[in-house]
Amino acid sequence: MKNRSIYELNHLPPPERTKIYRSLIPLSLFSTLGIDRNTFLNRQGEKAVEFHTPESHGFVSIDVKQSPEDQDSVFFLQLSDTPFLDNLELSFVVINDPRGERFNIDRDPQGRDTLFGTTLRNVAEEERAMKAGLSPGQVRPGLRLFGEMLSLLERFAARLGTSIISCEALFYHNAIKYEQYGFGYLEGRRMMEEIDREFLPGGSLYQKMDDSTPFRPRGGKKTVRGRSWAIQDGILGKPWPSPKLYKPVGKKVGVNTFHGQGF
């Protein structure tokens, strides 16, 4: 690939850029959703895949839905250029199972956008989601396609000549998941290590997991998801400062800041 950035790719003829960006969509999604990989039409003949590739900006978003009228994307990915040519930013990724129950954590009781629970909360819906086994920020169960997506993203980055993929972890469990897939920290590693220590016996967060709210059960301190819900519930005493992470393309950093028991 001659182009070295999203900005340059966005200046290619639309059919050519679409073909390149299509490679970022997990192949299994097309068969699962009944979407034609060439026309992007679903079984009803509706356009189910949208590519937003503005020529004036260095970002791309890919939006895959089962039907264009659906409220939620099944797969949404946004990538952005950074000031450094060897760094591609994974700005946002959402993977939803459209067959799963929906939890309205993205709207508060007054109908205001919570930005997936990062600015406002719908506590009742969060409690329902937690009891159903979801993590903070999820409106539906996932499809376990992150690993496949990351492999496609690394292949795409390598073709661009990019050596680093960077991102931010919107929630605690995101940071741990990124670690497990080979990411390391640009910012926030000390904080993550401190959080881990404080959730272990004798730590301040360990003591606060006292059943005082549904999100702070005594057993929750042992798991990634349990800790993440407690942090979403404000157990840190301050807003969650999203760590910044990076992954060398084709390599794993090998960081582990979680010493609990299971996800």
Side-chain angles (χ1 to χ4, degrees):
M1 191 187 299
K2 296 180 180 179
N3 306 91
R4 291 294 310 278
S5 67
I6 301 293
Y7 181 83
E8 291 179 14
L9 289 179
N10 287 353
H11 282 79
L12 294 174
E16 189 173 347
R17 73 179 87 150
T18 295
K19 184 178 180 180
I20 292 171
Y21 290 136
R22 179 185 63 182
S23 68
L24 290 161
I25 303 173
L27 194 60
S28 58
L29 272 184
F30 291 101
S31 56
T32 299
L33 301 177
I35 297 173
D36 186 280
R37 192 167 181 266
N38 295 309
T39 65
F40 305 115
L41 300 180
N42 62 17
R43 294 187 181 97
Q44 289 71 43
E46 303 166 311
K47 188 72 172 294
V49 182
E50 294 290 344
F51 297 89
H52 185 45
T53 59
E55 295 182 2
S56 57
H57 293 83
F59 76 87
V60 56
S61 64
I62 304 170
D63 192 4
V64 181
K65 293 185 175 181
Q66 196 166 31
S67 173
E69 292 82 22
D70 288 347
Q71 179 180 1
D72 302 316
S73 302
V74 178
F75 177 84
F76 182 88
L77 176 68
Q78 182 168 312
L79 305 175
S80 304
D81 289 331
T82 71
F84 310 99
L85 281 178
D86 64 343
N87 187 340
L88 178 66
E89 180 182 276
L90 170 57
S91 304
F92 199 66
V93 59
V94 172
I95 305 174
N96 288 314
D97 185 346
R99 301 161 296 189
E101 181 181 1
R102 192 182 201 283
F103 300 89
N104 299 318
I105 61 94
D106 55 336
R107 295 284 170 181
D108 74 0
Q110 287 72 46
R112 295 173 296 185
D113 190 347
T114 68
L115 298 181
F116 296 99
T118 59
T119 57
L120 297 169
R121 295 183 66 192
N122 186 329
V123 174
E125 285 297 290
E126 286 186 352
E127 185 175 355
R128 283 205 320 119
M130 179 184 65
K131 290 179 177 178
L134 274 65
S135 300
Q138 286 189 285
V139 297
R140 295 182 188 273
L143 284 169
R144 301 185 182 278
L145 289 177
F146 183 83
E148 183 179 349
M149 183 281 299
L150 183 59
S151 295
L152 296 174
L153 178 56
E154 290 197 80
R155 189 181 307 167
F156 173 82
R159 292 180 65 197
L160 276 182
T162 299
S163 60
I164 296 291
I165 296 170
S166 61
C167 64
E168 289 190 13
L170 292 181
F171 299 96
Y172 175 81
H173 65 276
N174 294 145
I176 301 300
K177 180 64 72 175
Y178 285 133
E179 288 181 16
Q180 294 172 347
Y181 279 99
F183 283 74
Y185 289 91
L186 293 168
E187 297 178 12
R189 178 170 178 171
R190 287 186 180 180
M191 176 194 72
M192 292 294 293
E193 291 172 338
E194 181 181 358
I195 288 173
D196 183 52
R197 286 194 301 270
E198 296 304 324
F199 269 117
L200 297 176
S204 61
L205 300 179
Y206 182 96
Q207 302 299 328
K208 292 180 180 179
M209 296 294 280
D210 55 6
D211 294 321
S212 56
T213 81
F215 304 96
R216 304 186 190 190
R218 296 183 189 279
K221 51 184 169 280
K222 298 179 181 179
T223 67
V224 175
R225 187 176 289 113
R227 292 181 179 187
S228 195
W229 276 115
I231 291 171
Q232 172 70 0
D233 193 47
I235 200 170
L236 297 181
K238 60 182 179 181
W240 167 252
S242 298
K244 294 179 173 59
L245 297 97
Y246 75 99
K247 186 183 189 302
V249 173
K251 301 177 182 179
K252 293 187 176 183
V253 177
V255 174
N256 177 24
T257 67
F258 174 72
H259 296 90
Q261 300 174 13
F263 202 85

